[in-house]
Amino acid sequence: MATATKRRAKPEHVSLTAQGKPVTLLEAIREGLWEEMERDPSVFLMGEDIGAYGGAFKVTEGMLDAFGPLRVVDTPISEIGFTGAAAGAAHMGMRPVVEMQFIDFIACAYDMITNYVATSRYRGSGAVPMVIRGPSGGYVRGGPFHSQNPEAAFFHTPGLKIVYPSTAYDAKGLIKAAIRDDDPVLFFEHKWLYRRPQLREVLPQEDYTVPIGKARTHREGKDLTIVTYAALVHKSQEAAEVLEKEDGLDVEIIDLRTILPLDDDAIVESVKKTNRLLIVHEDTRTGGIAGEIAMRVSEKAFEWLDAPIQRVTAIDAPIPYSPPLEDYFLPQTDDVVKAARWLANY
Amino acid sequence: MANRSPAKRAAAIPHGLGRAELLEMYRLVRLTRSLEEKLELLFKQSKVVGGLFRSLGQEGESVASAFALRRRDDGTGDMLSPLIRNLGSMLTIGARPVEVVRQYMAKGDSPARGKELNIHFTDYRRGFIGQISPLGDLVPVMAGVTLTFRQRGEDRVGMVYIGDGATSTGAFHEGINLAAVQRCPLVVIVENNGWAYSTPTRMQTAAKSFADKAAGYGAAADRVDGNDMLAVYGAAKKAVDRARAGEGVTLLQVDTYRRRGHAQHDAQTYMDPAEIERWATGNDPIDRYVAALTGNGWARPEELAEIDRAIDGELDEAVAEAEASPLPEPEEARADVTGDGPVAGPWYRLDTPDPTKA
């Protein structure tokens, strides 16, 4: 006899918010997924090792038991296959959430995502309400294929939405928004932020979403704007504290939260206030989204700039593994401090 | 002339078909060929925008396979996804000639609203999902479509077409593997027409047959003479019934021949004209079907001729209607990228160019 999932007691590991306890970014995403699965029977999950194993990072732990194998599907190693299958299921009115075990493997599904999924609505094959989520980013010595930030590769694809939260609150609100959005959403989860204790926070108990396409002012300031996202929001925060203490500089930090569509208004509003812009992203320099942001500010707020737009990014190389190499490759707090100082002194 | 009675006892119609269905299949296959001939004429008059892909010689298997599906127009029937030479399947599952001609003429009221060409269009109520050019991609998509039939406990079936060439793609492999392991109710029709553009099948795979590949996926296999419409119907029906009974994926190889080039521009000089001629004169699917219908006493030549006449009239009307349709409004290019409203147009095309409106 079928048991309504709602009648079963919710397991401890997805009841932290309900008990008023703080959650990590990962736990926030897990709660968001669970709640959407309960709320809407058309939501289901597909991915490698997400069922019996609970996912490589345990994001989907317990979900197979609670929701069954038709809603938590352990797939073969087939990024093309399960991404395409998610699109087919979405065509039929389901709302699939696909996990890339590491977001690096999203590259295997590049054709399916960019040629099929992103263009479906435009071509008249209908909206594709699906989410592709996965652990992204470095600072964990994961090497070239377990550390990538792939947003730039898909940024260029009209029809997609791309979301990359930096806080537990935003992660839960945005995974829900992504699932409820009728367009395909790429949802990146920074693995270095997943379990960081400093990011644990108590979340609202009521159902809430965070709007896709809207940036957040992480730190208010008047002297210089940093536009950033994901892990570098927190390194920029560290840099801002150093700059306040040592240089008396008041830095504003805009956390994009959504990469595509960009919140031009929030960026421009901040630039008009501070007149100096530093874009900081973990992705590599050439073709990273800093270039696009700079161009938009040039189009919309050139006269407000008192200095050239600058950026802090990873170097143009594959991601190295050994700590001295990765530390050199990736943007560090001190890099943000130095670049901001240069801008402030211009 | 003496009254002969009865001329010959009609053989039993196979596969549980009735006479009306036999005539309907004839109408559909004739419609397919005639519509393509009409499109070819329009192409030569430069009224077709872009390429034209004939399915000459393959119309029979396309129609007969799709005919085995439970076809409805209210979103509850079986679903198929065609390839470029499956106009026959599209017409069988319910696409209308005027829609096809509008597509080929890039009209604004074509099903894809001028955004996609030829038979790349979709209708969930009638049950077809248009393909895209990267081959193989619709196999995983149809795996997902048919997975939802299992998820929702619906006894619907999916059918997806793939060419001999496209069985080499990763998308085909991953899609059929996923469908098979998840026991999706999916029929995969491998249309072996001997060629993938200029590449013959011996350069496409070392496998002895495409049906052989099914074992590698744990799928059932079958193989049939693609130019014998009734045999194709029978094999497809068997596969569809298996799927509907929960027995999973069947890979059905249909052997046929592509009598024209890859597309209208392709002079097919890499093909042997004598071989093409042999297929045209000795193994045309419509000729063979007509012979079966009339030879077995299942249809009279006058009935078939009446259907031909009706088709001619229908196609003339469809072309006239399509020609009268307007091209799309240019600003339509901005619409339906996402659900959030039209995207920005170029700032330098505004009456007063303004980069802040970029």
Side-chain angles (χ1 to χ4, degrees):
Chain A
M1 179 167 80
T3 311
T5 30
K6 287 185 178 74
R7 279 206 287 273
R8 287 165 70 157
K10 216 153 112 169
E12 175 68 28
H13 71 305
V14 288
S15 302
L16 297 166
T17 294
Q19 294 167 28
K21 293 180 177 163
V23 290
T24 63
L25 190 130
L26 187 150
E27 288 164 339
I29 294 167
R30 182 193 284 146
E31 282 188 357
L33 282 172
W34 189 287
E35 287 168 26
E36 290 304 289
M37 289 277 277
E38 281 187 329
R39 176 182 174 270
D40 182 351
S42 71
V43 177
F44 77 102
L45 312 178
M46 282 203 284
E48 296 159 16
D49 307 295
I50 61 164
Y53 192 70
F57 286 83
K58 304 299 183 189
V59 174
T60 55
E61 186 157 50
M63 296 193 189
L64 176 62
D65 277 346
F67 300 104
L70 285 177
R71 292 187 69 200
V72 182
V73 181
D74 272 328
T75 64
I77 304 174
S78 298
E79 281 74 15
I80 304 171
F82 58 69
T83 301
H91 284 328
M92 304 307 286
M94 301 294 278
R95 289 186 172 265
V97 180
V98 157
E99 177 177 298
M100 294 289 166
Q101 192 159 84
F102 282 81
I103 206 64
D104 312 55
F105 308 129
I106 197 173
C108 306
Y110 185 81
D111 161 57
M112 191 62 78
I113 295 168
T114 59
N115 284 324
Y116 189 83
V117 172
T119 62
S120 177
R121 186 196 280 268
Y122 196 74
R123 292 182 286 108
S125 283
V128 180
M130 64 184 272
V131 176
I132 299 174
R133 48 164 291 272
S136 320
Y139 301 100
V140 298
R141 310 358 185 148
F145 313 109
H146 292 76
S147 314
Q148 289 172 26
N149 292 286
E151 62 271 13
F154 298 95
F155 187 61
H156 185 61
T157 302
L160 294 179
K161 294 178 178 169
I162 304 174
V163 159
Y164 208 160
S166 74
T167 67
Y169 178 91
D170 285 344
K172 187 171 187 181
L174 282 169
I175 190 69
K176 287 175 170 240
I179 289 169
R180 298 181 199 183
D181 198 296
D182 285 344
D183 286 310
V185 181
L186 309 185
F187 185 90
F188 299 153
E189 309 168 357
H190 203 292
K191 63 177 82 68
W192 183 66
L193 298 183
Y194 260 164
R195 296 190 174 104
R196 263 176 86 70
Q198 298 91 320
L199 296 189
R200 295 174 89 230
E201 56 175 316
V202 176
L203 298 182
Q205 296 195 349
E206 68 274 10
D207 181 60
Y208 72 93
T209 58
V210 167
I212 293 176
K214 290 270 169 279
R216 173 183 74 90
T217 303
H218 175 79
R219 183 183 200 276
E220 274 193 32
K222 56 174 180 31
D223 296 331
L224 183 147
T225 296
I226 292 178
V227 170
T228 185
Y229 53 99
L232 283 162
V233 170
H234 305 292
K235 293 197 187 283
S236 297
Q237 171 70 28
E238 287 175 359
E241 285 162 13
V242 168
L243 290 161
E244 182 178 52
K245 191 159 145 224
E246 296 182 9
D247 305 59
L249 208 59
D250 188 23
V251 171
E252 176 149 292
I253 299 174
I254 303 293
D255 175 1
L256 287 175
R257 304 195 294 189
T258 297
I259 307 302
L260 185 72
L262 278 175
D263 188 349
D264 291 1
D265 290 345
I267 297 167
V268 164
E269 191 185 311
S270 181
V271 168
K272 286 182 175 179
K273 188 167 74 164
T274 69
N275 315 114
R276 288 164 206 270
L277 175 61
L278 179 66
I279 308 162
V280 176
H281 63 54
E282 190 181 317
D283 194 12
T284 57
R285 181 170 177 269
T286 297
I289 72 168
E292 177 64 25
I293 294 170
M295 188 65 228
R296 293 192 187 194
V297 171
S298 172
E299 282 167 342
K300 299 185 177 188
F302 180 76
E303 287 83 2
W304 279 264
L305 290 168
D306 288 344
I309 303 169
Q310 296 301 347
R311 56 184 167 177
V312 172
T313 70
I315 64 170
D316 284 332
I319 304 166
Y321 149 68
S322 176
L325 300 179
E326 197 197 25
D327 290 344
Y328 182 88
F329 168 87
L330 287 172
Q332 306 297 343
T333 300
D334 197 47
D335 297 326
V336 181
V337 170
K338 291 202 169 92
R341 274 190 184 134
W342 187 97
L343 258 183
N345 294 330
Y346 182 83
Chain B
M1 177 158 76
N3 195 19
R4 282 191 280 166
S5 66
K8 175 165 132 186
R9 184 172 295 281
I13 302 172
H15 311 305
L17 289 163
R19 231 179 59 86
E21 290 168 298
L22 291 182
L23 291 173
E24 178 59 7
M25 269 211 283
Y26 174 77
R27 187 188 73 82
L28 288 164
V29 76
R30 179 62 72 192
L31 181 66
T32 304
R33 181 161 297 177
S34 297
L35 176 50
E36 285 193 359
E37 285 168 353
K38 199 63 115 169
L39 287 167
E40 193 166 30
L41 213 70
L42 293 168
F43 182 90
K44 287 173 178 157
Q45 295 167 354
S46 299
K47 290 181 176 171
V48 160
V49 180
L52 174 63
F53 297 77
R54 290 290 309 265
S55 65
L56 185 64
Q58 301 181 220
E59 303 96 330
E61 50 90 353
S62 204
V63 165
S65 52
F67 204 77
L69 293 172
R70 179 191 292 161
R71 291 159 284 126
R72 296 193 182 146
D73 59 8
D74 61 0
T76 67
D78 294 344
M79 307 262 316
L80 70 74
S81 184
L83 285 179
I84 198 59
R85 286 182 228 289
N86 295 118
L87 177 62
S89 314
M90 298 269 293
L91 294 171
T92 301
I93 197 121
R96 292 183 287 273
V98 67
E99 295 177 312
V100 175
V101 183
R102 283 189 180 127
Q103 283 281 121
Y104 270 98
M105 290 182 167
K107 299 292 188 170
D109 60 353
S110 65
R113 310 195 62 72
K115 303 261 181 75
E116 244 287 43
L117 59 168
N118 52 59
I119 59 170
H120 296 187
F121 63 98
T122 295
D123 183 52
Y124 295 103
R125 294 186 67 77
R126 284 173 282 167
F128 54 90
I129 303 181
Q131 61 150 143
I132 61 169
S133 306
L135 294 172
D137 281 11
L138 270 296
V139 180
V141 171
M142 288 303 290
V145 167
T146 52
L147 179 68
T148 70
F149 299 161
R150 275 194 59 225
Q151 289 171 318
R152 290 172 166 149
E154 297 171 340
D155 72 338
R156 301 164 71 182
V157 168
M159 180 176 283
V160 65
Y161 292 83
I162 193 87
D164 46 279
T167 63
S168 301
T169 65
F172 165 78
H173 166 75
E174 293 198 16
I176 192 173
N177 184 58
L178 181 62
V181 78
Q182 284 291 328
R183 242 174 147 63
C184 296
L186 182 65
V187 178
V188 180
I189 310 271
V190 177
E191 297 172 290
N192 176 26
N193 66 10
W195 297 92
Y197 210 140
S198 69
T199 308
T201 52
R202 68 178 160 76
M203 298 284 290
Q204 198 63 245
T205 180
K208 291 200 175 59
S209 75
F210 298 95
D212 276 356
K213 297 188 179 217
Y217 302 110
D222 200 358
R223 185 175 182 178
V224 73
D225 174 357
N227 286 9
D228 177 345
M229 283 178 65
L230 288 169
V232 171
Y233 174 82
K237 186 72 170 54
K238 202 163 117 200
V240 166
D241 288 347
R242 277 193 74 245
R244 210 180 306 284
E247 290 166 30
V249 175
T250 302
L251 187 162
L252 171 58
Q253 174 176 344
V254 301
D255 293 312
T256 181
Y257 191 79
R258 193 197 76 197
R259 297 205 328 240
R260 285 291 172 81
H262 174 64
Q264 207 62 13
H265 66 268
D266 176 18
Q268 56 181 152
T269 52
Y270 47 84
M271 294 168 78
D272 174 12
E275 182 182 71
I276 301 172
E277 185 60 18
R278 276 198 302 277
W279 282 85
T281 54
N283 198 349
D284 178 274
I286 301 183
D287 290 346
R288 288 176 64 185
Y289 190 55
V290 169
L293 292 180
T294 54
N296 284 299
W298 297 330
R300 294 181 305 279
E302 316 86 74
E303 287 180 297
L304 304 182
E306 179 54 45
I307 291 173
D308 294 351
R309 275 192 295 278
I311 285 170
D312 287 340
E314 183 188 344
L315 291 180
D316 283 341
E317 271 181 41
V319 170
E321 216 185 313
E323 285 196 278
S325 288
L327 286 173
E329 287 300 315
E331 296 257 338
E332 265 283 303
R334 301 170 47 205
D336 294 324
V337 177
T338 68
D340 293 345
V343 299
W347 62 266
Y348 34 85
R349 289 197 195 150
L350 296 168
D351 289 336
T352 306
D354 178 3
T356 67
K357 303 233 170 11

